[in-house]
């Protein structure tokens, strides 16, 4: 797969990831941990079907002998699936999103420390500008109470887990080991199952209507299962910091989805912050393309 195609597919991934907010606005009864549970459960069901089709019966025979790296990645996925919703129940969306904007910087630092990757100056500038754009979008809405700070601490688990996951996936994809590289797709399934199990006690008793379950089943398939399987493949082509940097588009797309699908008009600060993120991403990709040319 060429770099340009991988970038386009990563943009598609972020577009699919970003649909959670607008879909949740149309839920009738389900909320909080029940939303997270059903989304993770339907994600797991979708992955069972997809991996059975992709890998066949041999997949299930090999699953008990899954290498440790797959379980570590699965744990990271479970944190990513769960911590966001937990943080939302403790603080504002603005606090959570500003905290998650640390993802590209953490990923770049992890790549430098553990993979010894030297990032070009343009990528560092893009990371700083993109993170500043997210902070500009939501900074004026941030709250600093003790409960909010605790929520931001939980939200910090998302970029930490993501940075760990992208770095691990890239290390395996580009390792020079003569042994066979582990199949990392089962990690997404492990993460979905762990997330569903962790949130089940807090989701009970169930209140979701048939309408809610239909929407959450759609999220499990199109907002989690498909894009997460794609991003595992894309980490073989895109550097981990670039994956995290392009992931900032999820916030931009999420604001646009809410504007178009739920009538939530973005503020001027959101538009300016979004412009900063887009400028950072476009500038980084354009300068990289010029260097290759």
């Amino acid at each position: 797969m060429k770099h340009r195609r991988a970038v386009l597919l990563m943009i598609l991934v972020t577009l699919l990831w970003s649909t959670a907010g607008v879909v949740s606005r149309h839920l009738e009864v389900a909320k909080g941990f029940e939303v997270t549970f059903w989304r993770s459960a339907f994600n797991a069901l979708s992955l069972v079907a997809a991996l059975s089709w992709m890998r066949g019966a041999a997949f299930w025979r090999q699953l008990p002998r899954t290498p440790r790296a797959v379980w570590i990645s699965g744990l990271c996925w479970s944190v990513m699936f769960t911590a966001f919703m937990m943080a939302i129940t403790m603080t504002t969306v603005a606090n959570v999103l500003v905290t998650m904007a640390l993802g590209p910087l953490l990923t770049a630092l992890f790549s430098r420390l553990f993979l010894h990757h030297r990032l070009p100056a343009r990528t560092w500038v893009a990371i700083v500008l993109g993170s500043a754009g997210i902070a500009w979008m939501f900074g004026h809405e941030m709250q600093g109470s003790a409960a909010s700070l605790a929520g931001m601490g939980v939200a910090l688990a998302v970029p930490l887990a993501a940075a760990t996951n992208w770095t691990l996936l890239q290390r395996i994809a580009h390792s020079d080991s003569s042994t066979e590289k582990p199949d990392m797709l089962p990690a997404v399934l492990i993460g979905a199952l762990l997330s569903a199990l962790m949130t089940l006690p807090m989701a009970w008793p169930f209140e979701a209507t048939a309408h809610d379950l239909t929407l959450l089943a759609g999220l499990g398939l199109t907002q989690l299962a498909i894009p997460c399987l794609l991003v595992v493949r894309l980490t073989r082509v895109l550097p981990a910091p670039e994956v995290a940097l392009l992931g900032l588009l999820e916030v931009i797309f999420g604001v646009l989805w809410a504007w178009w699908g739920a009538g939530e008009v973005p503020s001027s600060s959101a538009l300016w912050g979004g412009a900063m993120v887009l400028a950072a991403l476009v500038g980084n990709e354009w300068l990289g393309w010029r260097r290759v040319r």
Side-chain angles (χ1 to χ4, degrees):
M1 185 186 298
K2 293 185 177 180
H3 182 271
R4 183 181 300 180
R5 185 182 180 188
V7 169
L8 293 176
L9 285 174
M10 188 62 204
I11 293 173
L12 174 63
V13 165
T14 59
L15 182 64
L16 294 173
W17 277 343
S18 67
T19 57
V22 66
V23 172
S24 66
R25 295 296 189 271
H26 296 282
L27 295 173
E28 295 176 339
V29 179
K31 57 184 180 294
F33 287 106
E34 186 177 3
V35 173
T36 306
F37 167 76
W38 284 118
R39 189 183 64 156
S40 295
F42 284 121
N43 178 23
L45 288 174
S46 301
L47 290 167
V48 166
L51 292 172
S52 296
W53 175 70
M54 294 169 64
R55 297 290 189 263
F59 169 77
W60 301 105
R61 292 194 298 268
Q62 296 169 359
L63 191 60
R65 299 189 297 274
T66 298
R68 183 176 61 178
V70 178
W71 286 97
I72 295 174
S73 179
L75 181 60
C76 291
W77 281 115
S78 70
V79 172
M80 294 162 66
F81 292 154
T82 309
F84 176 80
M85 187 57 67
M86 292 179 63
I88 287 296
T89 65
M90 301 171 67
T91 185
T92 64
V93 174
N95 287 359
V96 174
L97 292 177
V98 170
T99 304
M100 288 175 59
L102 293 171
L105 179 60
L106 290 173
T107 306
L109 292 175
F110 282 15
S111 293
R112 185 71 184 94
L113 290 173
F114 302 115
L115 303 181
H116 307 293
H117 286 176
R118 293 184 179 275
L119 295 180
R122 60 179 172 81
T123 302
W124 284 109
V125 171
I127 288 172
V128 172
L129 182 60
S131 300
I134 300 298
W136 179 273
M137 288 177 71
F138 299 100
H140 69 290
E141 301 176 12
M142 291 184 67
Q143 298 176 1
S145 66
S148 293
L149 292 175
M152 293 175 72
V154 174
L156 184 60
V158 179
L160 281 171
T164 303
N165 204 12
W166 307 149
T167 305
L168 174 64
L169 289 170
Q170 189 158 91
R171 180 172 185 174
I172 291 173
H174 297 280
S175 64
D176 296 327
S177 175
S178 57
T179 59
E180 185 178 356
K181 297 177 183 178
D183 181 5
M184 300 303 293
L185 293 182
V188 187
L189 174 59
I190 293 171
L193 292 172
L194 291 175
S195 176
L197 289 173
M198 285 190 293
T199 53
L200 176 58
M202 294 172 284
W204 189 264
F206 297 138
E207 298 179 348
T209 63
H211 173 268
D212 291 347
L213 291 176
T214 301
L215 294 181
L216 292 170
L219 285 181
L221 173 63
T222 62
Q223 192 256 333
L224 288 184
I226 294 174
C228 290
L229 289 178
L230 270 175
V231 80
V232 171
R233 174 67 180 86
L234 295 177
T235 54
R236 301 180 189 176
V237 181
L238 299 175
E242 190 171 7
V243 170
L245 184 59
L246 289 168
L248 291 179
L249 281 174
E250 179 186 355
V251 179
I252 308 301
F253 288 144
V255 171
L256 296 178
W257 278 121
W259 186 5
W260 176 71
E264 297 183 6
V265 180
S267 64
S268 59
S269 59
L271 295 176
W272 278 110
M276 291 171 65
V277 174
L278 290 175
L281 296 174
V282 172
N284 183 62
E285 297 302 329
W286 181 70
L287 290 174
W289 175 79
R290 280 195 62 186
R291 183 175 180 275
V292 172
R293 293 281 292 181

